[in-house]
Amino acid sequence: MITFLFNSGKMRKKLFIISSILFGALTAGAQNVSDLVISEAEVENETGITDSFGLHSGWIEITNTSQGTVNIGGCFITDDLSQPRKYMIPRTDLSTKIGARQTCLFFFNGPEFIGTFDVDFLLSKGSVIYLVSNDGKTVIDSLEIPAGLPADLAVRKMARDAKHVNFVAEADPAIPSPGVMNSDGNEETGAQKIAREDPFGGVLTLTSVSVVFGALIVLLIIFTITGGFFSGRFENPFKRSAKAPKAGKPDAEVAAAIAMALERELSGGDDVAAAIGMALDMYMDDTVHDAESFVITIRRNEASLWNDKSKNFRQLPTR
Amino acid sequence: MGHIFDSLQQFWQFTGFANCQWQNLVMIAIGIFFITIAILKEWEPLLLVPIGFGMIIGNIPMFPGLNIGIYEDGSVLNTLYQGVKQGWYPPLIFLGIGAMTDFSALISQPRLILIGAAAQMGIFGAYLLALSFGFAPNEAGAIGIIGGADGPTAIFLSSKLAPDLMGAIAVSAYSYMALVPVIQRPIMLLLTNKKERLITMPKPRQVSQRERIIFPIVGFLTTAFIVPSGLPLLGMLFFGNLLKESGVTKRLANTASGPLIDIVTILIGVTVGASTQADKFLTGKSVLIFGLGLLSFVIATASGVLFVKLINLFIADPARKINPLIGNAGVSAVPDSARVSEVVGRESNPSNHLLMNAMAPNVAGVIGSAVAAGILLGFLG
């Protein structure tokens, strides 16, 4: 069966299209390295954070702005676009996965210190640091380090909108905050905000009730209009005129004529004629038409039990 | 001999008898009570039997560290509980509900949709009350959703807003859903007079398949654009309904409305029941939640009935008046609250069948409570 499916040319074409759509949807929806941002950098780190070797090295902070985990392994860090693959972040280290809205730090401590988060060149003032995608060409993000950046101060980008995390570069150097997402501190939860702004709940209640009613009023309007068309109260602009009935589907007069002709032919068979007449009537009302076009069907009624074997048993005489 | 005695003594320490506290016994008794009313009274048996037995499972006394308790990472129960905690089960249940619900009554009488909105006042009434009792806004929102009378929605929202209260909220929601006939009837009788109860309503018109196919698509686009935070519930509800109505995905619709919803109901019932461990459940807060839950049902029912009476003031044509007895059906306990409308209606006039008319606000209530949950999640999440 499966072989047959794959041998069929049409089926292969369909499978190809479906697979392409699925692949496109999955890759488009996946959290990827394009969600990474170089959010902070410090060059002259004299008293701040130390690297895994205990040194006060210069560092950059990379933030994952997405809502899913992103693996930064395989990406590159460089300060020279003519050498986009200057430092490759190891692919095989599990710690290169950055959680949603989390950060990681890379220390620039030179070639003699080897580690996943130890970049093999030094960070310098006046340079631009780039994060390059794992294709070795596409620049994901960059951060310009001012030539006059004072010691123990950092250049950073701030997320003014904590929900959408749009990072904007700041002009002035700031006190370093390595490992903490840079935002303006307005990260209170919805409940905290409501507790502060609407302690008695009146505003939220009125707003919510309005929205619930609003949503259902929209549905009411839509289904009043569509119901009007379908029930015949309004004229349906999409309905074809009576002179041009849908191919294969008889109009009411034709259906009535067929019913009368059948009734005449089936003299004595009142039940059959009635059933056909009813089927045609219901077909015209579009209440029994199912998936197959040009076929009139009578839905099987389980309740009739016409084929129930117990009904065919010989009845015992009753006294 | 002494060694055997020591071993037996050590074994005794492992047993439930040695670790038993009175709270465990209370919770086990509540579990047995749930099973009893489910079997004898047939009140929501599909939910109360799994929840009741889950309560017994979760309250067997034991000492921690055996990696078998529902709150112990990696245990079997804990793994199954993730569906509740992470909110996977409720949308799957909504898929099944969508696949088994016939929205024809609502499509044919769109004006009755608004009753489903009015009954959501129970949610916001309970929210205001919970705030006044000192609950934080996120906890109050989770408690308020009990008034939506929708178990999966209550679990979904409380797992996001107040996971610590989820057990009490879920048990409260399902308990009151089982008690809908008991709670709603006196309120309906109190708020209506005999003349109003005798109002007869026209039979809903027959709805074509085309209309039934359009409904889930348009309904989803409308509600999801207004409240995207309700996406998991609304998306699955309307998707399930499209599977049913499209006529070409009968196998999928049958699976969603049959085996899938049954499996998820078993898992959600047992794990929610097991999450009511005595030490986490028997608190003053739980008692308050039960009280507020009851009030939310009362408010929701009264709001629905009073809203119909209000609408009737603006309807001049007596033939188009709405029987206020279908107001209670805006509470989205499908189809129990619609059945209450039918029963109470027939008490006044045995030939007055309100069931089909009551189904319209009833299914509108499902949409309304999912929308309300989305709003609360958007504001308080």
Side-chain angles (χ1 to χ4, degrees), chain B residues 27 101 114 138 164 229 276 358 360 379:
Chain B
M27 291 306 298
T101 303
L114 292 184
N138 54 320
D164 292 345
S229 43
T276 62
F379 276 115

Side-chain angles (χ1 to χ4, degrees), chain A residues 40-61 103-109 152-154 175-180:
Chain A
E40 197 169 338
E42 184 181 1
V43 180
E44 281 182 69
N45 172 16
E46 292 176 358
T47 58
I49 191 170
T50 57
D51 60 23
S52 53
F53 300 98
L55 303 169
H56 289 285
S57 311
W59 52 267
I60 63 167
E61 178 190 73
T103 61
C104 77
L105 298 176
F106 285 88
F107 291 93
F108 291 71
N109 42 20
D152 283 336
L153 286 182
I175 296 167
S177 59
V180 179

Side-chain angles (χ1 to χ4, degrees), chain B residues 143-343:
Chain B
I143 293 166
I145 203 70
I146 298 172
D150 202 324
T153 309
I155 290 171
F156 179 77
L157 193 67
S158 55
S159 70
K160 305 281 179 200
L161 294 183
D164 292 345
L165 304 181
M166 191 179 56
I169 289 169
V171 172
S172 171
Y174 280 122
S175 307
Y176 292 130
M177 280 165 67
L179 293 171
V180 153
V182 181
I183 298 169
Q184 290 197 323
R185 189 175 173 277
I187 300 165
M188 292 159 71
L189 293 176
L190 186 73
L191 295 177
T192 53
N193 58 40
K194 179 127 198 207
K195 193 182 163 196
E196 287 169 332
R197 290 199 285 271
L198 288 173
I199 293 174
T200 52
M201 294 177 68
K203 202 178 143 198
R205 73 173 168 85
Q206 211 154 20
V207 174
S208 70
Q209 190 194 14
R210 235 171 270 171
E211 279 180 275
R212 293 201 305 268
I213 292 173
I214 290 170
F215 176 76
I217 297 168
V218 173
F220 173 64
L221 286 173
T222 309
T223 51
F225 266 89
I226 294 172
V227 194
S229 43
L231 202 63
L233 298 175
L234 292 167
M236 292 305 232
L237 177 76
F238 287 115
F239 172 52
N241 191 245
L242 182 62
L243 291 180
K244 174 180 182 284
E245 302 298 355
S246 68
V248 290
T249 52
K250 276 184 185 156
R251 276 171 52 192
L252 302 185
N254 288 343
T255 303
S257 62
L260 181 65
I261 198 169
D262 289 350
I263 291 168
V264 181
T265 302
I266 290 169
L267 293 176
I268 205 169
V270 171
T271 50
V272 163
S275 71
T276 62
Q277 277 186 5
D279 55 335
K280 300 190 186 295
F281 191 79
L282 281 183
T283 61
K285 271 190 174 180
S286 297
V287 177
L288 260 178
I289 288 168
F290 268 76
L292 289 167
L294 176 62
L295 281 174
S296 71
F297 267 64
V298 172
I299 297 168
T301 306
S303 304
V305 175
L306 292 174
F307 183 74
V308 175
K309 291 176 68 144
L310 180 71
I311 291 179
N312 277 344
L313 294 178
F314 298 97
I315 300 174
D317 182 2
R320 283 182 55 80
K321 287 212 185 271
I322 304 168
N323 191 320
L325 290 180
I326 68 166
N328 72 300
V331 172
S332 61
V334 180
D336 292 3
S337 47
R339 213 179 286 152
V340 174
S341 305
E342 165 79 8
V343 170

Side-chain angles (χ1 to χ4, degrees), chain B residues 72-93:
Chain B
E72 293 181 279
D73 283 347
S75 71
V76 173
L77 281 174
N78 182 267
T79 305
L80 297 177
Y81 186 53
Q82 293 308 308
V84 175
K85 211 173 162 187
Q86 306 288 339
W88 312 327
Y89 293 153
L92 290 175
I93 290 198

Side-chain angles (χ1 to χ4, degrees), chain A residues 48-115:
Chain A
I49 191 170
T50 57
D51 60 23
S52 53
F53 300 98
L55 303 169
H56 289 285
S57 311
W59 52 267
I60 63 167
E61 178 190 73
I62 293 176
T63 300
N64 171 13
T65 61
S66 77
Q67 291 284 9
T69 300
V70 173
N71 191 351
I72 196 174
C75 293
F76 302 89
I77 294 172
T78 184
D79 59 355
D80 179 3
L81 274 186
S82 63
Q83 297 179 63
R85 299 175 182 230
K86 199 166 178 182
Y87 174 72
M88 190 182 94
I89 302 163
R91 288 175 189 275
T92 50
D93 191 337
L94 289 177
S95 58
T96 53
K97 287 183 178 173
I98 312 174
R101 306 287 169 97
Q102 299 295 306
T103 61
C104 77
L105 298 176
F106 285 88
F107 291 93
F108 291 71
N109 42 20
E112 63 270 33
F113 298 98
I114 297 168

Side-chain angles (χ1 to χ4, degrees), chain B residues 89-130:
Chain B
Y89 293 153
L92 290 175
I93 290 198
F94 259 60
L95 178 73
I97 292 172
M100 63 172 69
T101 303
D102 185 353
F103 283 95
S104 301
L106 186 146
I107 300 167
S108 64
Q109 306 168 93
R111 66 187 181 137
L112 303 183
I113 288 177
L114 292 184
I115 303 170
Q120 305 315 315
M121 286 303 291
I123 295 175
F124 302 107
Y127 168 75
L128 292 174
L129 285 170

